[in-house]
Amino acid sequence: EDQVTQSPEALRLQEGESSSLNCSYTVSGLRGLFWYRQDPGKGPEFLFTLYSAGEEKEKERLKATLTKKESFLHITAPKPEDSATYLCAVQAITGGFKTIFGAGTRLFVKA
Amino acid sequence: KAGVTQTPRYLIKTRGQQVTLSCSPISGHRSVSWYQQTPGQGLQFLFEYFSETQRNKGNFPGRFSGRQFSNSRSEMNVSTLELGDSALYLCASSITSALTFRGADTQYFGPGTRLTVL
């Protein structure tokens, strides 16, 4: 069964303290892996799509990487405004374009 | 380009009532998916519509239904509301064309409809 597991559930950082969020996935064949950011009470905001192992994408302080079994979202020198829940999701080759989401990592950045 | 819009943004209903939520996708997007989000369960997939046909369905009871119109706009209906239906309902749209880049179909979300059942 296709599955997505994110860790840790919550992460507390000081401003400027870099860290990484993990997304482990199990799919029969990967179409793509997605990262979203979600603020409380709002819809998820698209960040990145990764398609194959070895791929990397960057946006401001965020960098997403992909291996055959997991993806990492690296946050460099975070600021308080980076505080949010970060969601990882996958689309498998089987099952059409159905998207499976992880439970998310809640990130808190303290000034 | 306008994003995904959802109406209404907030709803308060009582048990036993029914509710209809609306979603307008990004222009040119042909697929619309619906999700239920609660603090305890995270994002749960309800169903997906493409070209007016339900293409995928999650594990929700038959009280939850949806449809898609020829202009790709979609509605979701919940009948006989229960207290546990209180949640943020999210709609997401994607292109899903034969030219979708490398075969993955990125979804873009609307702001959601907050449903409270009393």
Side-chain angles (χ1 to χ4, degrees):
Chain A
E1 183 182 344
D2 300 331
Q3 200 167 2
V4 178
T5 304
Q6 292 188 247
S7 61
E9 289 186 16
L11 181 62
R12 297 181 183 276
L13 300 173
Q14 288 292 127
E15 184 173 5
E17 180 187 2
S18 301
S19 188
S20 295
L21 314 182
N22 177 263
C23 171
S24 298
Y25 63 91
T26 305
V27 292
S28 52
L30 183 69
R31 276 189 193 275
L33 183 142
F34 313 97
W35 282 99
Y36 292 86
R37 169 198 169 122
Q38 186 175 27
D39 293 303
K42 297 187 177 181
E45 174 191 347
F46 170 72
L47 293 173
F48 306 108
T49 302
L50 302 169
Y51 298 97
S52 56
E55 190 173 1
E56 299 182 352
K57 288 193 176 175
E58 287 188 68
K59 179 181 179 180
E60 296 179 355
R61 294 178 293 282
L62 301 176
K63 179 180 177 180
T65 62
L66 180 65
T67 71
K68 288 188 177 181
K69 293 186 176 181
E70 57 191 351
S71 176
F72 293 94
L73 184 65
H74 307 277
I75 303 177
T76 302
K79 299 181 178 181
E81 53 262 42
D82 294 323
S83 297
T85 295
Y86 291 85
L87 298 168
C88 171
V90 298
Q91 273 182 7
I93 291 175
T94 56
F97 288 98
K98 186 175 178 180
T99 304
I100 302 163
F101 279 83
T105 293
R106 294 185 66 189
L107 175 66
F108 303 90
V109 182
K110 187 176 180 181
Chain B
K1 204 175 203 182
V4 178
T5 59
Q6 293 186 244
T7 57
R9 293 293 313 280
Y10 302 91
L11 265 179
I12 299 175
K13 294 285 187 179
T14 56
R15 281 180 299 173
Q17 287 187 310
Q18 75 166 18
V19 66
T20 300
L21 312 182
S22 180
C23 172
S24 293
I26 292 171
S27 178
H29 284 197
R30 300 164 65 191
S31 170
V32 173
S33 297
W34 289 90
Y35 295 85
Q36 181 194 67
Q37 188 175 38
T38 58
Q41 297 295 320
L43 263 172
Q44 301 290 311
F45 173 72
L46 281 156
F47 30 66
E48 181 207 3
Y49 286 87
F50 174 71
S51 291
E52 301 178 66
T53 300
Q54 189 179 87
R55 185 164 66 173
N56 284 301
K57 189 177 187 304
N59 297 320
F60 277 80
R63 300 185 296 107
F64 292 81
S65 63
R67 59 178 175 169
Q68 186 180 35
F69 303 95
S70 58
N71 61 358
S72 293
R73 190 177 70 85
S74 177
E75 287 182 348
M76 190 191 94
N77 183 274
V78 187
S79 62
T80 318
L81 284 166
E82 300 178 358
L83 294 178
D85 296 333
S86 294
L88 180 66
Y89 289 88
L90 292 161
C91 164
S93 76
S94 57
I95 291 179
T96 313
S97 72
L99 299 177
T100 299
F101 183 60
R102 295 195 201 180
D105 204 24
T106 300
Q107 295 185 330
Y108 297 88
F109 284 83
T113 294
R114 171 70 65 184
L115 173 64
T116 302
V117 182
L118 303 176

